[in-house]
């Protein structure tokens, strides 16, 4: 690779990906990000200047996206599309920005790469497949039928369908990945793991939706980054790759582990109002990515990755604390 346009590169996973790329390669990166509430300028500043440029703009703005994509005509150039509204709970309150950014934004990127013949990688989620029963012996694979539950996951499913249609109808050179739940540095405090860690650091209470039986399949954001990089380098155009690190844990297990790692009683949490339509279980079979492209996760111990994440939040209170009070007030208003 030579030059990358990374949409949503100031968000949690996008910024981890940009850091992964500049620390390991000579690739030059342009980040296009609207800097919504979910973004962190700090996450991209501090990276080698001259290698990363931040353009503040909307991925739905065809003129801005077209202008940036027009500059990427080399064989080693690509667009990596992370930009999205990403929080399920927010999509239940107001689906509108999800439809706009996730569907219209993806359409805008597709039209630009179609016009300029540029390679694209589309970043998606395992939530497009709906959920599994707790005792289902199966996991999601590339062959699983789409069955999204929330406005967020439906908007991501719509975006995935657009990408496949643009590949087939217009010959766009795109790959797709659907990853499981990420954790790690720079994740917004609205999300499950950082919310609980920062609640403990702030002397507040840990909040579990319902009984906590819901299962998520956790992967460190750095492993998601290495998977996207592997697909950019070796993936076959038109193909979808599922990304996961065999990290299934119930929410109850995660909450108990966070409390234990932080020196608290593992039973010291509150059960709060459950999420409407709450997906029960996600689980990824990443055999295709591992066998065809030779990818392996580096974080094989969730417990160790989580312990490092706790330390990261402990050391970065200046970053998360200003966001915390408003997020907790919004959750409190919903009984969560
Ligand atoms: P995030 O909410 O932390 O970051 C999203 C970024 O996109 C932010 O920087 C935001 O400012 C930017 N953005 C939002 N709307 C925009 C717009 N209209 N124009 C330009 N930029 C805009 O999200 P994340 O958790 O880092 O997720 C990144 C991508 O990965 C998303 O596509 C998401 O669906 C996907 N994904 C996330 C997870 C997860 O566990 N978080 C798992 C699988 C896939
Ligand atoms: O306070 C909480 N208590 C709680 O029990 C919060 C915020 C969440 N939860 C539960 C809900 C979920 O079962 O924890 C689980 C994880 O919740 P989120 O962090 O909101 O993630 P999830 O809804 O699973 O979606 C995430 O993974 C897939 C990302 O936010 C998506 O962007 C990604 O596509």
């Amino acid at each position: 690779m030579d030059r990358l346009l990374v949409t949503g590169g100031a968000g949690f996973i996008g910024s981890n990906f940009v850091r992964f790329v500049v620390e390991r390669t000579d690739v030059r990166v342009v980040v296009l990000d609207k800097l919504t509430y979910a973004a962190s300028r700090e996450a991209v500043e501090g990276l080698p200047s001259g290698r990363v440029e931040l353009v503040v703009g909307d991925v739905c703005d065809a003129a801005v996206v077209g202008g940036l994509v027009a500059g990427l005509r080399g064989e080693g150039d690509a667009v990596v599309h992370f930009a999205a509204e990403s929080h399920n709970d927010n999509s239940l309150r107001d689906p509108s920005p999800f439809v706009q950014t996730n569907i219209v934004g993806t359409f805008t990127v597709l039209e630009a790469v179609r016009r300029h013949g540029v390679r694209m990688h589309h970043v998606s989620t395992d939530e497009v497949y709906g959920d599994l029963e707790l005792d289902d012996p199966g996991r999601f694979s590339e062959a699983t039928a789409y069955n999204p539950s929330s406005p967020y996951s439906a908007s991501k499913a719509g975006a995935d369908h657009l990408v496949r249609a643009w590949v087939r109808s217009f010959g766009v050179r795109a790959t797709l990945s659907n990853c499981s739940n990420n954790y790690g540095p720079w994740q917004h405090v609205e999300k499950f793991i950082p919310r609980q860690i920062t609640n403990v650091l702030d002397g507040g209470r840990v909040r579990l939706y319902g009984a906590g039986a819901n299962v998520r399949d956790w992967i460190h954001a750095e492993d998601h980054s290495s998977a996207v990089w592997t697909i950019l380098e070796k993936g076959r155009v038109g193909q979808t790759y599922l990304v996961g690190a065999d990290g299934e844990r119930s929410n109850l297990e995660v909450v108990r582990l966070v409390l234990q790692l932080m020196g608290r009683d593992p039973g010291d949490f509150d059960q709060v109002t459950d999420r409407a339509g709450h997906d029960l279980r996600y689980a990824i079979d990443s055999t295709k990515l591992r066998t065809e492209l030779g990818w392996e996760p580096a974080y094989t111990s969730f417990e160790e990755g989580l312990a490092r994440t706790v330390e990261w939040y402990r050391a970065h209170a200046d970053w998360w604390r200003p966001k915390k009070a408003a997020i907790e007030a919004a959750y409190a208003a919903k009984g969560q």
Side-chain angles (χ1 to χ4, degrees):
M1 306 308 301
D2 185 12
R3 289 178 302 174
L4 295 178
L5 172 63
V6 180
T7 73
F12 163 45
I13 305 171
S15 67
N16 273 283
F17 176 74
V18 172
R19 190 167 312 99
F20 179 92
V21 167
V22 298
E23 282 176 359
R24 289 167 179 78
T25 74
D26 294 330
V27 167
R28 283 169 295 152
V29 178
V30 175
V31 168
L32 171 64
D33 200 296
K34 194 179 170 184
L35 298 185
T36 70
Y37 80 96
S40 307
R41 225 181 228 286
E42 306 93 307
V44 279
E45 285 171 352
L47 293 168
S49 65
R51 297 274 307 286
V52 182
E53 181 194 348
L54 173 61
V55 175
V56 180
D58 193 328
V59 74
C60 302
D61 184 332
V64 170
V65 174
L68 293 171
V69 172
L72 291 178
R73 289 163 185 272
E75 250 320 291
D77 297 348
V79 179
V80 189
H81 179 42
F82 288 95
E85 286 290 334
S86 67
H87 193 35
N88 274 298
D89 290 328
N90 293 345
S91 83
L92 296 169
R93 197 192 58 231
D94 179 11
S96 150
F98 289 76
V99 172
Q100 182 64 19
T101 290
N102 300 2
I103 298 182
V104 178
T106 301
F107 162 73
T108 307
V109 173
L110 283 166
E111 284 294 82
V113 296
R114 169 159 90 105
R115 193 171 321 117
H116 298 291
V118 172
R119 165 82 195 280
M120 170 188 180
H121 179 72
H122 173 68
V123 177
S124 191
T125 171
D126 60 359
E127 296 193 19
V128 298
Y129 300 114
D131 60 353
L132 298 161
E133 293 299 325
L134 293 179
D135 59 358
D136 189 327
R139 300 191 286 177
F140 300 138
S141 79
E142 289 79 4
T144 305
Y146 274 39
N147 187 26
S149 315
S150 74
Y152 162 68
S153 47
S155 68
K156 293 296 292 187
D160 293 10
H161 289 318
L162 292 183
V163 177
R164 293 200 184 90
W166 263 240
V167 169
R168 179 158 170 173
S169 303
F170 303 124
V172 159
R173 291 182 297 137
T175 42
L176 302 89
S177 55
N178 296 79
C179 188
S180 59
N181 280 62
N182 285 223
Y183 71 98
W186 301 107
Q187 187 168 29
H188 197 278
V189 291
E190 69 186 354
K191 302 286 181 8
F192 179 47
I193 287 179
R195 183 180 183 208
Q196 312 315 332
I197 294 171
T198 55
N199 279 357
V200 174
L201 290 174
D202 258 357
R205 302 280 300 168
V206 162
R207 312 280 189 192
L208 186 64
Y209 291 178
N214 309 64
V215 169
R216 297 295 181 263
D217 190 352
W218 294 99
I219 181 173
H220 195 279
E222 201 175 299
D223 284 330
H224 189 181
S225 296
S226 72
V228 170
W229 179 255
T230 301
I231 297 165
L232 277 170
E233 285 214 307
K234 302 191 216 164
R236 285 183 292 137
V237 163
Q239 294 290 305
T240 295
Y241 300 89
L242 263 59
V243 184
D246 301 332
E248 279 188 69
R249 297 282 187 290
S250 73
N251 293 342
L252 178 60
E253 286 176 288
V254 173
V255 150
R256 294 177 69 87
L257 187 57
V258 166
L259 285 161
Q260 208 176 315
L261 286 169
M262 299 184 78
R264 296 269 294 266
D265 176 348
D268 198 10
F269 58 84
D270 294 336
Q271 290 183 323
V272 297
T273 309
D274 207 349
R275 174 182 286 172
H278 198 172
D279 278 343
L280 195 47
R281 171 174 163 244
Y282 306 141
I284 286 272
D285 178 350
S286 57
T287 303
K288 178 178 173 182
L289 178 63
R290 292 172 193 244
T291 54
E292 283 190 19
L293 305 188
W295 173 83
E296 290 290 339
Y299 286 79
T300 47
S301 161
F302 175 66
E303 287 68 16
E304 202 183 308
L306 191 59
R308 286 172 65 166
T309 305
V310 168
E311 290 319 307
W312 190 91
Y313 279 88
R314 210 188 281 287
H316 290 80
D318 288 355
W319 170 71
W320 58 260
R321 192 154 278 131
K323 309 173 195 293
K324 183 73 181 160
I327 293 294
E328 285 308 312
Y331 276 126
K334 296 188 295 170
Q336 292 179 321

